[in-house]
């Protein structure tokens, strides 16, 4: 059974702090990893699609890195703002040929003003 | 707004009943995915359709079925409903059936089985 784990489960930071969290996935049979941001009462919104070992993606104050050999991805938020409060989900896609995305349970981030 | 439309937003029904959830993908997207999110669980992949054909199947119960129509909208049918089927059901779409494509999620249908 393929398992995707995210840590921590939840996180409270002060406005202006930088933070990061982890998505761990099976290191074999990697095809792609997605990061999503999910605000309360809204639908998940894609942040990044990562496919290559060593990939680094950036969108404003949010960035992500990927290590497929050891099976993890980090999401970083620089200078957190209250509007960054959301659940951040990662989704792992095993080797091409299957389309069965496996989602982690997310990291719930709360940024305190 | 992702461009993916799901109806209804909320559905309340009784055990043993059958319901249909509807999803209209973003304009031009050929692929539709269905997910279930139960309490305290992550999103569970149910099924994917690409251009009218089933592409991949996840942990979808035999009581559940889906289809994608020629106009590319999709329906998820849930029958013989049980209390444990209460969940948030999401539909997502992507431009093609290529693995790794970004998925655009709808707002979800919240199903309550009483």
């Amino acid at each position: 059974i393929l398992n995707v784990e995210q840590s921590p489960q939840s996180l409270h930071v002060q406005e202006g702090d930088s933070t990061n969290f982890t998505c761990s996935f099976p290191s074999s049979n990697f095809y792609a990893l997605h990061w999503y941001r999910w605000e309360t009462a809204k639908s998940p919104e894609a942040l990044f699609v990562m496919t290559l070992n060593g990939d680094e993606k950036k969108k404003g104050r949010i960035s992500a890195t990927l290590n497929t050999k050891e099976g993890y991805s980090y999401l970083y938020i620089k200078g957190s703002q209250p509007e960054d409060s959301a659940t951040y989900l990662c989704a792992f896609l095993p080797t091409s040929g299957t389309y069965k995305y496996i989602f982690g349970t997310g990291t719930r981030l709360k940024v305190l003003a | 707004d992702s461009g993916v439309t799901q109806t209804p937003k909320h559905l309340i029904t009784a055990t043993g009943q059958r319901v249909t959830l509807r999803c209209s993908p973003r304009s031009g997207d050929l692929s539709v995915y269905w997910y279930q999110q139960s309490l305290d669980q992550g999103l569970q992949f149910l099924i994917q359709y690409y251009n009218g054909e089933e592409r991949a199947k996840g942990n979808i119960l035999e009581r559940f079925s889906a289809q994608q129509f020629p106009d590319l909208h999709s329906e998820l049918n849930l029958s013989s409903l049980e209390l444990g089927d209460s969940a948030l059901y999401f539909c997502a779409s992507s431009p093609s059936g290529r693995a790794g494509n970004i998925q655009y999620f709808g707002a979800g249908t919240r199903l309550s089985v009483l």
Side-chain angles (χ1 to χ4, degrees):
Chain A
I1 295 177
L2 298 175
N3 211 26
V4 174
E5 293 183 3
Q6 290 189 248
S7 61
Q9 265 191 321
S10 66
L11 193 52
H12 286 68
V13 301
Q14 291 292 328
E15 183 176 356
D17 284 353
S18 293
T19 186
N20 67 84
F21 19 95
T22 308
C23 172
S24 301
F25 52 84
S27 56
S28 58
N29 301 324
F30 175 88
Y31 186 76
L33 187 90
H34 293 194
W35 278 101
Y36 290 86
R37 173 192 151 90
W38 190 1
E39 288 180 74
T40 304
K42 293 189 178 177
S43 49
E45 178 194 345
L47 288 172
F48 304 115
V49 175
M50 309 186 81
T51 54
L52 296 174
N53 185 42
D55 249 357
E56 287 188 32
K57 298 271 174 109
K58 191 172 179 192
K59 192 174 184 176
R61 293 179 292 98
I62 305 178
S63 60
T65 60
L66 178 68
N67 183 325
T68 60
K69 292 188 190 323
E70 294 181 44
Y72 64 83
S73 176
Y74 292 141
L75 190 80
Y76 301 90
I77 303 180
K78 190 176 170 183
S80 303
Q81 299 297 307
E83 57 266 29
D84 295 327
S85 298
T87 295
Y88 291 84
L89 292 173
C90 65
F92 167 70
L93 185 61
T95 309
S96 177
T98 172
Y99 298 82
K100 300 178 187 179
Y101 290 84
I102 303 160
F103 279 77
T105 50
T107 291
R108 243 175 258 109
L109 174 67
K110 176 81 177 167
V111 182
L112 306 167
Chain B
D1 182 3
S2 67
V4 178
T5 305
Q6 286 189 250
T7 55
K9 283 194 166 54
H10 303 276
L11 200 47
I12 302 174
T13 188
T15 54
Q17 295 298 304
R18 174 190 163 93
V19 296
T20 297
L21 313 184
R22 185 188 165 102
C23 170
S24 294
R26 284 187 338 149
S27 177
D29 282 1
L30 298 177
S31 205
V32 167
Y33 308 77
W34 285 98
Y35 294 91
Q36 177 193 57
Q37 194 202 16
S38 305
L39 205 59
D40 292 337
Q41 289 205 7
L43 285 168
Q44 299 290 318
F45 169 72
L46 294 177
I47 197 161
Q48 182 207 358
Y49 279 83
Y50 172 70
N51 206 18
E53 296 204 356
E54 184 185 300
R55 172 67 66 90
K57 220 167 187 172
N59 300 325
I60 187 166
L61 299 171
E62 280 189 21
R63 299 183 286 109
F64 296 1
S65 65
Q67 56 185 129
Q68 187 179 26
F69 294 87
D71 68 353
L72 301 176
H73 91 270
S74 178
E75 292 181 356
L76 180 68
N77 301 297
L78 315 176
S79 60
S80 304
L81 284 167
E82 301 174 1
L83 295 176
D85 297 327
S86 295
L88 194 49
Y89 291 85
F90 282 104
C91 162
S93 73
S94 68
S96 74
R98 269 180 48 214
N101 266 183
I102 278 181
Q103 294 180 40
Y104 297 87
F105 280 78
T109 292
R110 185 168 292 284
L111 174 67
S112 299
V113 182
L114 307 177

